[in-house]
């Protein structure tokens, strides 16, 4: 009888520990700052909006107001250590020192998932080599003029896109011209460029070895980021990148928003 009771208590305690472990929030680091965008507003919009949708704990490192700024976080080779995912929302377009950019890319090549938003795609674009573009999965050097355009889903059955409309309006955003796409990329949505007269991928997934990368060129303005479609999209991108997104497009148990 004592042996049976011990086994039952051990099983119960093991289940409790497993449940507690599953409820630990995803530890996310947001790197943000640079020119041309209101990152003060955007960091709040993103962190508050995503926290309302999933179980996540934020560290936000915000500095710099120009595209020439070199974020001090990247001076440390271990800048990403201890985080489950890095959310990049930065505009450092003219930073081109190879060693510096290699430090930005290194943790992702080593296995830490990345979520890439808007101007991050154009950050470090003038550096020699493809160290950063291999993380992105695409090459883009410029964008069309800001305007309204339609975003068209390419994979409505993918968990990241599950339940989204076949197309939706994106207001006063910048359509990035995609010059090259890596074979490791899975396009999820596109938009038509009136200047280039062709479609460009605007939402995609990339894999770098075993590392998952979610990326979108959408999100120039805080108005775009405040929409439910955008916040749902980035939330799912984070969950997918860390392997916590269900096939139904919802967080796996324990990774839903906690509390009220």
């Amino acid at each position: 009888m004592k042996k049976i009771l011990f086994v039952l208590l051990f099983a119960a305690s093991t289940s409790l520990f497993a449940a507690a472990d599953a409820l630990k929030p995803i530890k996310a680091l947001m790197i943000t700052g640079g020119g041309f965008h209101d990152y003060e507003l955007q960091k709040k919009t993103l962190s508050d909006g995503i926290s309302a949708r999933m179980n996540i704990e934020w560290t936000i490192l915000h500095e710099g107001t120009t595209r020439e700024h070199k974020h001090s976080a990247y001076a440390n080779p271990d800048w990403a250590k201890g985080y489950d995912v890095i959310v990049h929302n930065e505009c450092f377009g003219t930073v081109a020192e190879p060693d510096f950019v290699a430090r930005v890319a290194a943790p992702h090549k080593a296995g830490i998932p990345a979520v890439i938003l808007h101007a991050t795609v154009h950050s470090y674009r003038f550096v020699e080599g493809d160290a950063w573009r291999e993380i992105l999965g695409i090459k883009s050097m410029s964008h069309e003029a800001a305007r309204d355009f339609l975003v068209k889903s390419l994979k409505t059955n993918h968990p990241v896109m599950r339940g989204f409309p076949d197309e939706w309006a994106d207001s006063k955003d910048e359509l990035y011209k995609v010059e090259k796409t890596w074979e490791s990329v899975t396009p999820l949505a596109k938009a038509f460029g009136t200047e280039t007269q062709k479609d460009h991928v605007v939402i995609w997934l990339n894999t770098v070895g075993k590392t998952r990368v979610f990326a979108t060129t959408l999100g120039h303005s805080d108005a775009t980021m405040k929409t439910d479609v955008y916040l749902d999209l980035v939330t799912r991108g984070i969950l997918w990148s860390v392997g916590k997104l269900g096939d139904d497009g919802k967080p796996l148990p324990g990774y839903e928003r906690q509390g009220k």
Side-chain angles (χ1 to χ4, degrees), residues 192-204:
F192 184 73
T194 56
E195 296 174 21
T196 54
Q197 287 295 295
K198 65 179 184 179
D199 289 322
H200 298 277
V201 63
V202 294
I203 305 168
W204 66 95

Side-chain angles (χ1 to χ4, degrees), residues 22-224:
L23 291 176
K24 287 181 180 178
I26 291 168
K27 294 186 68 175
L29 170 63
M30 185 191 300
I31 301 281
T32 192
F36 305 108
H37 306 85
D38 193 338
Y39 289 117
E40 195 65 42
L41 273 177
Q42 288 187 7
K43 68 182 181 184
K44 179 172 174 54
T45 295
L46 288 168
S47 59
D48 287 355
I50 294 167
S51 295
R53 289 164 166 78
M54 64 175 286
N55 188 13
I56 192 167
E57 176 183 289
W58 289 103
T59 297
I60 301 175
L61 300 180
H62 178 195
E63 65 179 49
T65 58
T66 69
R67 61 181 181 173
E68 296 85 13
H69 182 78
K70 291 191 287 187
H71 203 297
S72 63
Y74 299 131
N76 178 4
D78 293 326
W79 65 268
K81 188 175 181 180
Y83 295 100
D84 300 315
V85 62
I86 311 300
V87 177
H88 292 273
N89 187 36
E90 60 210 69
C91 184
F92 304 129
T94 58
V95 175
E97 289 86 343
D99 290 346
F100 183 90
V101 177
R103 284 198 301 274
V104 180
H108 303 306
K109 289 185 176 181
I112 297 181
V115 171
I116 309 291
L117 305 181
H118 190 60
T120 312
V121 173
H122 278 175
S123 295
Y124 323 117
R125 66 189 184 274
F126 298 115
V127 70
E128 291 185 11
D130 289 328
W132 185 234
R133 282 184 280 270
E134 288 172 356
I135 304 300
L136 301 177
I138 71 161
K139 177 181 179 180
S140 176
M141 300 297 288
S142 62
H143 59 75
E144 297 192 3
R147 61 177 176 84
D148 299 346
F149 55 80
L150 286 178
V151 177
K152 296 185 178 182
S153 179
L154 296 171
K155 290 187 178 293
T156 53
N157 62 339
H158 192 283
V160 171
M161 305 299 288
R162 181 80 65 181
F164 280 9
D166 290 339
E167 61 180 40
W168 67 90
D170 187 21
S171 300
K172 300 300 180 187
D173 213 336
E174 295 172 338
L175 181 59
Y176 280 32
K177 304 172 189 176
V178 177
E179 301 177 11
K180 177 182 176 180
T181 303
W182 268 246
E183 291 183 0
S184 53
V185 163
T186 300
L188 295 182
K190 65 181 182 179
F192 184 73
T194 56
E195 296 174 21
T196 54
Q197 287 295 295
K198 65 179 184 179
D199 289 322
H200 298 277
V201 63
V202 294
I203 305 168
W204 66 95
L205 308 175
N206 188 32
T207 53
V208 184
K210 294 183 178 180
T211 305
R212 289 184 170 192
V213 178
F214 166 85
T216 179
T217 56
L218 305 177
H220 176 66
S221 70
D222 189 61
T224 293

